[in-house]
Amino acid sequence: MSSDAFTGPRRHHARTDSTNERARELALLGAPSGTVVTAGEQTAGRGRRGRRWSAPPDGALLCSFILRPLEAHHALLPLAVPLAVCEAAEALAAVACKVKWPNDVWLGERKLAGVLIEARPPGWAVLGIGMNLAVPEDAFPADLRWPAASLGHGVGTEQALAALRESLGGWVAAEPSAVASAFASRDALRGRSVSWEGGGGATGSGTGTAAGIDERGNLVVETDAGLVSLGSGEVSLRLE
Ligand code: BTN
């Protein structure tokens, strides 16, 4: 497997609104691939689908990497990044992680990490990652969609960043076929009942059984009417 290096320059903020926002500004200014922005605390952390992401100060790894340029082999980037997060978490603690499509990292049935990719193809992408490290149970917001998990075991943010830098390069550079087969072995949804809303075209909304991903990284769901392919940007997915 070749490797995109994620050992570039680092900009750390004790407190900022969003590391993705800081990284986006740097990307627009031409910062090199592999540049990383970290923060001890975010005041307006962004999650997928316009949601917020919150973590107590210094309780989570909050980081955003610049990747440039985007190339054909990055087709499954949204699935490759959580695989790298799984590998990093497993190097830091005795845990086994799964990926809930498209890119949540789960410990058991709880969310350990989230990924938000914001891109201006083919120029660049910002890979935003939030991984809970030492977050007390009562510090998580009460209204989370998924119960949250924390890595614990005394893992610090510097150690976590080093592990992530190590794993990210290989997975971001990996061929889509390698990403798809690794995703299959960590797929938290396969065989489970799901329902969705908001899909365009024929999908609309519905329920079915998750059956893996297709070559575009879309979620395949078996329904009474046949197979449906759901794009991550289009649907809101629930486990039944
Ligand atoms: C999600 O699960 O909805 C994605 C969460 C992504 C959160 C990270 S924290 C670091 C980076 N900066 C942000 O504002 N968001 C991402």
Side-chain angles (χ1 to χ4, degrees):
M1 192 190 290
S2 64
S3 181
D4 278 317
F6 282 92
T7 50
R10 175 179 176 190
R11 183 78 58 91
H12 179 74
H13 299 267
R15 194 166 193 255
T16 190
D17 54 358
S18 159
T19 56
N20 265 35
E21 185 55 27
R22 296 287 82 72
R24 190 186 70 87
E25 289 167 359
L26 291 176
L28 289 169
L29 290 171
S33 197
T35 299
V36 60
V37 178
T38 54
E41 183 183 1
Q42 292 183 129
T43 54
R46 301 207 282 254
R48 292 183 57 245
R49 303 178 63 80
R51 298 189 192 100
R52 74 198 158 92
W53 173 272
S54 47
D58 300 313
L61 175 64
L62 307 169
C63 58
S64 300
F65 293 89
I66 294 171
L67 170 67
R68 73 186 330 151
L70 288 170
E71 294 171 340
H73 72 272
H74 294 131
L76 296 188
L77 187 65
L79 308 185
V81 176
L83 292 174
V85 177
C86 287
E87 203 170 278
E90 291 170 359
L92 291 163
V95 295
C97 297
K98 297 231 175 238
V99 182
K100 180 197 152 276
W101 181 88
N103 48 26
D104 285 353
V105 174
W106 274 13
L107 263 189
E109 293 287 300
R110 297 163 70 112
K111 180 165 166 174
L112 175 70
V115 173
L116 176 66
I117 298 178
E118 296 177 305
R120 187 176 286 182
W124 50 264
V126 167
L127 319 179
I129 298 160
M131 176 161 53
N132 298 321
L133 298 177
V135 185
E137 230 16 68
D138 59 3
F140 290 118
D143 58 344
L144 287 180
R145 288 176 77 240
W146 305 105
S150 184
L151 203 55
H153 305 278
V155 176
T157 48
E158 294 306 306
Q159 204 187 343
L161 179 64
L164 189 56
R165 286 183 125 164
E166 182 83 27
S167 62
L168 202 51
W171 281 114
V172 167
E175 288 302 320
S177 58
V179 173
S181 67
F183 185 89
S185 68
R186 292 190 185 269
D187 185 350
L189 291 185
R190 196 177 187 102
R192 297 182 67 166
S193 297
V194 297
S195 67
W196 73 92
E197 270 171 27
T203 57
S205 64
T207 60
T209 304
I213 55 164
D214 66 14
E215 68 291 344
R216 290 174 298 167
N218 287 350
L219 182 70
V220 177
V221 181
E222 277 171 13
T223 72
D224 290 345
L227 294 179
V228 168
S229 166
L230 304 176
S232 62
E234 302 165 10
V235 299
S236 175
L237 184 73
R238 280 193 315 275
L239 274 171
E240 292 295 282

mmCIF file with all atom_site columns, all heavy atoms in Angstrom, residues 42 210 237:
data_model
loop_
_atom_site.group_PDB
_atom_site.id
_atom_site.type_symbol
_atom_site.label_atom_id
_atom_site.label_alt_id
_atom_site.label_comp_id
_atom_site.label_asym_id
_atom_site.label_entity_id
_atom_site.label_seq_id
_atom_site.pdbx_PDB_ins_code
_atom_site.Cartn_x
_atom_site.Cartn_y
_atom_site.Cartn_z
_atom_site.occupancy
_atom_site.B_iso_or_equiv
_atom_site.pdbx_formal_charge
_atom_site.auth_seq_id
_atom_site.auth_comp_id
_atom_site.auth_asym_id
_atom_site.auth_atom_id
_atom_site.pdbx_PDB_model_num
ATOM 1  N N   . GLN A 1 42  ? -13.214 23.402 21.168 1.00 0.00 ? 42  GLN A N   1
ATOM 2  C CA  . GLN A 1 42  ? -13.921 24.058 20.060 1.00 0.00 ? 42  GLN A CA  1
ATOM 3  C C   . GLN A 1 42  ? -15.190 24.704 20.603 1.00 0.00 ? 42  GLN A C   1
ATOM 4  O O   . GLN A 1 42  ? -15.916 24.091 21.392 1.00 0.00 ? 42  GLN A O   1
ATOM 5  C CB  . GLN A 1 42  ? -14.315 23.047 18.991 1.00 0.00 ? 42  GLN A CB  1
ATOM 6  C CG  . GLN A 1 42  ? -13.140 22.450 18.232 1.00 0.00 ? 42  GLN A CG  1
ATOM 7  C CD  . GLN A 1 42  ? -13.581 21.509 17.122 1.00 0.00 ? 42  GLN A CD  1
ATOM 8  O OE1 . GLN A 1 42  ? -13.155 21.633 15.994 1.00 0.00 ? 42  GLN A OE1 1
ATOM 9  N NE2 . GLN A 1 42  ? -14.433 20.563 17.451 1.00 0.00 ? 42  GLN A NE2 1
ATOM 10 N N   . ALA A 1 210 ? -29.511 -3.741 6.214  1.00 0.00 ? 210 ALA A N   1
ATOM 11 C CA  . ALA A 1 210 ? -28.243 -3.272 5.647  1.00 0.00 ? 210 ALA A CA  1
ATOM 12 C C   . ALA A 1 210 ? -27.464 -4.455 5.090  1.00 0.00 ? 210 ALA A C   1
ATOM 13 O O   . ALA A 1 210 ? -27.344 -5.496 5.734  1.00 0.00 ? 210 ALA A O   1
ATOM 14 C CB  . ALA A 1 210 ? -27.435 -2.550 6.717  1.00 0.00 ? 210 ALA A CB  1
ATOM 15 N N   . LEU A 1 237 ? -30.300 8.226  8.476  1.00 0.00 ? 237 LEU A N   1
ATOM 16 C CA  . LEU A 1 237 ? -30.437 6.783  8.707  1.00 0.00 ? 237 LEU A CA  1
ATOM 17 C C   . LEU A 1 237 ? -30.659 6.512  10.177 1.00 0.00 ? 237 LEU A C   1
ATOM 18 O O   . LEU A 1 237 ? -30.064 7.151  11.038 1.00 0.00 ? 237 LEU A O   1
ATOM 19 C CB  . LEU A 1 237 ? -29.133 6.141  8.260  1.00 0.00 ? 237 LEU A CB  1
ATOM 20 C CG  . LEU A 1 237 ? -29.023 4.641  8.297  1.00 0.00 ? 237 LEU A CG  1
ATOM 21 C CD1 . LEU A 1 237 ? -29.858 4.034  7.181  1.00 0.00 ? 237 LEU A CD1 1
ATOM 22 C CD2 . LEU A 1 237 ? -27.571 4.236  8.135  1.00 0.00 ? 237 LEU A CD2 1
#
